[in-house]
Amino acid sequence: MANEKKPRRRKKLRQEWNPHWSLKLLYMIFSVAGSVLKIAVGAAATVLLIVLICGTVFVGTLGDYLQEDILTEAADWSLDDYDLEQTSFIYYVDNHGDIQLLQQIYTTTDRQWASIDEIPEDLIHAAVAIEDKRFYEHQGVDWITTVKACLNMFFGGDEQFGGSTITQQFIKNHTGEKSVTVQRKVMEIFRAQLFEKQYDKDLIMEYYLNEIYLGRGCYGVKSAAAEYFGKELRNLTTAECASLIAITNNPSLYDPYIREENNRERQLTILKEMYDQGYIETEEAYQAAVDQEMVFRNGTYDEEEYTCASCGFTGTRAEYTETDGEYFCPQCGEANYAVDKNHYYSYFVDTVWRDVVDALVERYGYSELAAEQKLLTGGYKIYATINPEVQAIVDKVYENLDNVPKTVSVQQLQSAIVVTDNKTGDI
């Protein structure tokens, strides 16, 4: 056992620490990092320079475009540049000196202007509550809703622009520019801001409510109030105001005659917004508006009185006799074309039409066709000289053929009666 060999222990090689190696390693690391950093900084500077150059060119081009094509055109625009189509009416003065409606001049557009003082506050509040709740706060553009609309367009897949204020909607309606393009939207934004620097909110609201299309040929709230409720504007209730404004979103979709449920649903939404925004002050008033039963009267004024041009009888539409859409005087049996909705004109109205057209041609140099178009859409108030009682006597003469002399031929004689007021010279 004494001679047994012991295992040899391996000597551990002790490597001495050399500080020069660490310095070399650090130098290599910093050299590589420095090279990478130089390359990155150079690349970033190059990209930044390119971006700055491109940005400068873009901003300059955009500035020129906005200045020359957008701002110049937006500034060169005013209310006077556009004529609105309005309905013309013929009136006469009765024996008591009161002005009476004789005839509406019919066209495809029915627009009767209402001043801001004629429009009930509930109607204005309904429009603001559902269309532009910050109308009285912004300067033509509501940037909150505009940004939301842009985000929705880019990220939500909706190609339609939204977020338009009442001012923007008015400008779009007034100019007739309804194309869905970025250029048109930018132009609309600039015009709205410039427009609100020139005109106050009341005038903008007045024009807006007189221009919106409310279906069935009605442009503006005055003609629509007559068409749907048979009322003057001042007599509309809160619920009726909400129902009327509900149509603006889509007249075919919210027409109360053919889409009553749709109109009702949107009406309730508007009433809720009016209540939440403080335009309906009490819960009782809100509930009363919600509970009101809607009665649509298809363009009849229950309270309006009509005077017969033949005999002078005055009564409401209900007092006239209706046959096949025409309304006849219960006293003399003659048709009263101011009452019915059919577009018939009496001989007297035909003569007034002819006289007005001739006067427009002579005074303004219009062609006959242009003068007729002006009469149809110019919103004229024409005061005629007809006297219903005298006209009734004339009609009786011609209705009795015994008063017309016979001739040797089969052709009947033609004649005319001219009645003149000796005091005024009126015919």
Side-chain angles (χ1 to χ4, degrees):
M1 298 294 294
N3 293 330
E4 186 177 342
K5 293 182 177 181
K6 295 182 179 179
R8 296 178 62 184
R9 294 181 179 178
R10 294 180 179 180
K11 293 183 179 180
K12 291 184 179 180
L13 296 177
R14 183 177 180 183
Q15 298 179 351
E16 297 289 337
W17 175 72
N18 190 338
H20 296 290
W21 294 354
S22 299
L23 290 174
K24 287 182 179 180
L25 181 61
L26 288 173
Y27 176 77
M28 292 176 62
I29 293 173
F30 279 116
S31 296
V32 173
S35 299
V36 173
L37 184 61
K38 286 181 181 179
I39 294 173
V41 170
T46 303
V47 171
L48 181 61
L49 182 61
I50 293 173
V51 169
L52 287 174
I53 293 173
C54 293
T56 302
V57 173
F58 173 76
V59 170
T61 304
L62 178 62
D64 291 340
Y65 167 72
L66 291 176
Q67 181 63 41
E68 296 175 8
D69 295 347
I70 300 296
L71 286 176
T72 301
E73 186 177 345
D76 188 24
W77 178 85
S78 70
L79 290 176
D80 299 330
D81 295 334
Y82 299 87
D83 292 326
L84 294 177
E85 292 187 3
Q86 295 186 49
T87 305
S88 296
F89 295 89
I90 300 175
Y91 300 92
Y92 71 94
V93 180
D94 63 19
N95 292 332
H96 303 289
D98 297 323
I99 296 174
Q100 303 287 351
L101 173 65
L102 178 66
Q103 180 75 63
Q104 175 179 334
I105 302 299
Y106 293 101
T107 182
T108 54
T109 298
D110 184 9
R111 177 185 279 117
Q112 303 172 43
W113 195 266
S115 68
I116 193 67
D117 295 330
E118 296 178 74
I119 302 172
E121 283 192 347
D122 280 339
L123 197 58
I124 296 172
H125 294 160
V128 171
I130 195 66
E131 296 291 336
D132 184 6
K133 63 182 179 181
R134 282 180 283 273
F135 174 69
Y136 292 105
E137 301 168 13
H138 63 65
Q139 302 301 314
V141 179
D142 188 340
W143 292 109
I144 296 175
T145 56
T146 299
V147 170
K148 287 181 180 178
C150 290
L151 292 175
N152 182 57
M153 181 181 68
F154 286 111
F155 299 106
D158 187 357
E159 296 180 355
Q160 299 298 317
F161 289 107
S164 293
T165 63
I166 282 177
T167 309
Q168 290 173 266
Q169 292 179 48
F170 156 69
I171 289 173
K172 180 174 66 176
N173 294 336
H174 201 67
T175 61
E177 297 173 2
K178 300 183 179 179
S179 57
V180 184
T181 63
V182 173
Q183 181 180 5
R184 198 274 301 167
K185 192 68 177 178
V186 172
M187 178 74 72
E188 181 185 287
I189 288 173
F190 276 100
R191 278 178 171 169
Q193 291 182 303
L194 291 172
F195 192 78
E196 288 221 2
K197 292 180 180 179
Q198 302 176 55
Y199 304 99
D200 62 29
K201 296 286 188 179
D202 283 347
L203 185 137
I204 294 170
M205 181 60 70
E206 178 180 319
Y207 268 80
Y208 171 75
L209 291 175
N210 276 289
E211 289 196 16
I212 53 176
Y213 181 59
L214 292 159
R216 299 182 175 264
C218 296
Y219 287 84
V221 292
K222 186 170 184 177
S223 56
E227 176 64 30
Y228 294 105
F229 297 108
K231 288 184 174 183
E232 293 285 357
L233 274 175
R234 64 178 180 274
N235 297 326
L236 291 180
T237 65
T238 303
E240 290 166 344
C241 288
S243 179
L244 207 61
I245 293 299
I247 303 171
T248 62
N249 184 262
N250 188 326
S252 60
L253 186 62
Y254 295 103
D255 184 327
Y257 290 123
I258 59 177
R259 299 285 190 273
E260 187 173 355
E261 291 183 2
N262 291 353
N263 182 272
R264 174 63 172 169
E265 181 179 350
R266 187 162 175 81
Q267 177 210 32
L268 293 176
T269 299
I270 294 172
L271 289 173
K272 185 65 166 59
E273 287 293 330
M274 292 175 70
Y275 179 59
D276 290 343
Q277 295 176 37
Y279 293 121
I280 299 177
E281 296 181 356
T282 65
E283 186 175 353
E284 292 76 12
Y286 166 69
Q287 196 59 48
V290 169
D291 294 340
Q292 181 184 331
E293 181 182 357
M294 292 290 98
V295 178
F296 302 101
R297 300 190 182 279
N298 201 20
T300 62
Y301 281 111
D302 285 349
E303 68 273 19
E304 185 172 351
E305 292 188 335
Y306 301 89
T307 300
C308 176
S310 297
C311 69
F313 169 80
T314 299
T316 64
R317 181 171 180 149
E319 294 179 80
Y320 279 80
T321 304
E322 190 271 332
T323 305
D324 297 329
E326 293 186 68
Y327 289 81
F328 298 91
C329 175
Q331 185 167 288
C332 70
E334 289 298 310
N336 189 335
Y337 301 116
V339 183
D340 70 46
K341 294 292 289 183
N342 293 312
H343 303 173
Y344 300 125
Y345 299 137
S346 67
Y347 289 118
F348 181 84
V349 170
D350 283 339
T351 301
V352 172
W353 174 295
R354 184 72 266 157
D355 288 346
V356 172
V357 168
D358 290 344
L360 290 173
V361 170
E362 180 180 354
R363 178 174 297 183
Y364 300 107
Y366 296 141
S367 67
E368 184 170 326
L369 182 61
E372 288 187 346
Q373 187 63 25
K374 272 287 185 182
L375 176 58
L376 283 170
T377 62
Y380 292 113
K381 293 183 177 180
I382 304 157
Y383 297 91
T385 58
I386 188 172
N387 183 308
E389 294 180 1
V390 175
Q391 185 67 40
I393 297 172
V394 173
D395 290 341
K396 286 181 180 179
V397 171
Y398 280 98
E399 287 169 2
N400 185 358
L401 294 181
D402 292 337
N403 293 323
V404 181
K406 298 288 191 285
T407 65
V408 294
S409 68
V410 295
Q411 186 175 0
Q412 183 177 321
L413 286 176
Q414 296 184 20
S415 67
I417 295 177
V418 178
V419 182
T420 304
D421 185 333
N422 292 327
K423 293 181 180 180
T424 64
D426 291 342
I427 296 174

